[in-house]
Amino acid sequence: MKIYENYSLLPNNTFGIDAKCWQFVEVETAQEAAEKLPFIVKSTKPSMVIGGGSNLLLTQDYDGIIVHSAIKGISVILDDPEAIGINPPLVGESEGVFLKAGSGECFDDVVATAVSLGYYGMENLSIIPGDVGASAVQNIGAYGVEAKDIIHSIDAVEISTGKKVTIMNDECDYAYRQSRFKKEWKGKFFITSVTYKLSTVFTPHIEYGGIRKALEERGIEEPTAQDVRDTIIAIRNAKLPDPKVLGNGGSFFMNPVVSREKFEQLLAEYPAMPHYYIDEDHEKIPAGWMIEQCGWKGKSLGRAAVHDKQALVLVNLGGASGSEIVALCEKVREDVLMKFGIDIHPEVNII
């Protein structure tokens, strides 16, 4: 375990906000987490767990203890999942495979490892920033796939007691960008590893977000998982800014899911409106499209701006405070609500 005093969180948030915390603690093993975390939460100072900081907007210094996972390691479990505490194993699915990763691993490194080994199901989540632990908390998703689709189980430590637990997928109450870790379990568990359930049989999912068209433009009719990964990386890089160059937290807003009645009302007014079927009663409308229709794409408010290539992304033009980015967020929300009657909500955690 490593402890740093009066620590600048600049390297730990992709928005590039130079906020400080009273103490920064890096946990390097699950055993350290079990032994030390109960004492940390009993401190007179508040405490908070963060991941890679790609989904975090800091608006002020944090007069408390920030805990971060530095637990590494990626392992493949093929034959005896019960031997390492995975229970129940996949039943009747001979093509199934488990990939277990430490919560401090870069999530995209795990995706790259899976694809290189011929284990499939993660490729559509390529190049999403952040750590493995955050994938389970946020239920990250892209191009028609969500983390809930591939997570089998989560190893964690109950922070208040130090008790090690294994939490199964169906206990997490996963929904669009939601989980119990963000609601009633917030601050209760420290995730130490995530086990993903993948397949040795590749089934491409390329109907979402222009993937098929991009593959066709490259002359690829029967893509491999690596082709899908490479294509998604190219699409994302073309429209999403590099946080090392332009501070951002990726998609700032969640895409709203609206009632069928509301959707049909809007479609009558905006026939070209993009949308995605959820079920008979609900449809998803891209928040980025609505923000663009409000004229915000490429526009700035002080040192914060809406990205000129993807209106779903808010960026730090240089030196912006977290409060400036929040002010832009609220102005964008206000305009979308006025024009479409839909209140869009931040996906980013604002601290």
Side-chain angles (χ1 to χ4, degrees):
M1 179 176 284
K2 296 177 181 176
I3 301 175
Y4 305 90
E5 307 287 341
N6 192 32
Y7 179 85
S8 170
L9 292 163
L10 185 60
N12 298 93
N13 75 98
T14 58
F15 259 111
I17 305 295
D18 189 12
K20 290 182 171 60
C21 64
W22 178 74
Q23 197 173 75
F24 185 82
V25 176
E26 276 197 328
V27 177
E28 297 178 306
T29 68
Q31 189 58 36
E32 279 185 352
E35 293 174 355
K36 304 296 185 182
L37 290 183
F39 294 99
I40 289 175
V41 297
K42 290 173 184 175
S43 165
T44 56
K45 294 285 189 179
S47 59
M48 177 174 61
V49 176
I50 67 169
S54 61
N55 205 44
L56 183 67
L57 176 59
L58 300 165
T59 60
Q60 58 189 334
D61 289 341
Y62 185 73
D63 186 26
I65 305 167
I66 296 288
V67 182
H68 175 255
S69 174
I71 301 172
K72 302 293 185 180
I74 303 172
S75 56
V76 178
I77 304 98
L78 287 168
D79 299 324
D80 190 13
E82 291 186 24
I84 60 150
I86 299 176
N87 186 33
L90 290 177
V91 177
E93 295 186 27
S94 59
E95 75 274 13
V97 64
F98 295 100
L99 202 64
K100 185 173 185 177
S103 56
E105 284 284 352
C106 169
F107 179 77
D108 191 57
D109 288 348
V110 181
V111 178
T113 298
V115 172
S116 70
L117 292 173
Y119 305 144
Y120 309 120
M122 306 183 85
E123 53 278 352
N124 283 43
L125 302 178
S126 290
I127 210 172
I128 294 179
D131 293 347
V132 161
S135 74
V137 173
Q138 302 289 344
N139 186 26
I140 60 173
Y143 299 100
V145 176
E146 292 181 303
K148 70 176 179 61
D149 301 325
I150 55 171
I151 288 175
H152 176 268
S153 56
I154 298 152
D155 290 331
V157 168
E158 187 177 43
I159 294 174
S160 62
T161 65
K163 179 184 178 182
K164 295 180 182 178
V165 298
T166 297
I167 302 168
M168 305 307 294
N169 180 307
D170 60 6
E171 298 178 79
C172 297
D173 195 21
Y174 281 126
Y176 176 59
R177 302 300 180 269
Q178 288 293 337
S179 73
R180 293 179 76 182
F181 295 107
K182 295 182 70 174
K183 296 182 286 187
E184 69 264 35
W185 286 352
K186 188 172 184 178
K188 182 175 181 178
F189 295 108
F190 179 87
I191 294 174
T192 55
S193 67
V194 179
T195 298
Y196 302 99
K197 180 179 70 177
L198 306 176
S199 174
T200 55
V201 176
F202 176 53
T203 303
H205 298 283
I206 57 176
E207 304 304 328
Y208 198 102
I211 301 173
R212 179 180 292 279
K213 181 180 178 182
L215 286 165
E216 290 173 351
E217 289 173 351
R218 296 172 61 193
I220 300 172
E221 295 182 2
E222 297 183 5
T224 64
Q226 188 64 55
D227 290 330
V228 172
R229 173 170 164 78
D230 291 344
T231 299
I232 287 173
I233 289 173
I235 292 172
R236 289 180 67 91
N237 282 339
K239 66 180 183 179
L240 297 175
D242 183 346
K244 295 176 183 176
V245 178
L246 202 59
N248 72 92
S251 298
F252 195 93
F253 298 99
M254 292 185 283
N255 292 318
V257 175
V258 302
S259 68
R260 180 66 49 188
E261 180 182 2
K262 179 65 176 178
F263 162 69
E264 291 176 352
Q265 171 200 330
L266 289 173
L267 191 63
E269 189 172 354
Y270 304 97
M273 179 180 69
H275 54 91
Y276 301 97
Y277 177 86
I278 299 298
D279 56 40
E280 290 184 1
D281 299 318
H282 300 91
E283 202 84 10
K284 184 187 294 183
I285 301 173
W289 177 83
M290 290 190 289
I291 294 167
E292 188 171 349
Q293 298 304 303
C294 291
W296 273 107
K297 189 175 184 180
K299 298 291 181 65
S300 62
L301 189 65
R303 295 175 291 184
V306 176
H307 190 45
D308 60 359
K309 293 181 181 178
Q310 171 51 272
L312 199 57
V313 178
L314 304 189
V315 299
N316 181 351
L317 295 176
S321 66
S323 297
E324 286 179 276
I325 294 167
V326 169
L328 174 61
C329 161
E330 292 306 316
K331 182 58 179 169
V332 168
R333 290 181 68 187
E334 178 184 317
D335 287 358
V336 169
L337 181 61
M338 183 174 295
K339 187 176 182 67
F340 294 99
I342 296 175
D343 187 10
I344 57 174
H345 297 279
E347 180 178 332
V348 169
N349 295 313
I350 300 173
I351 306 299

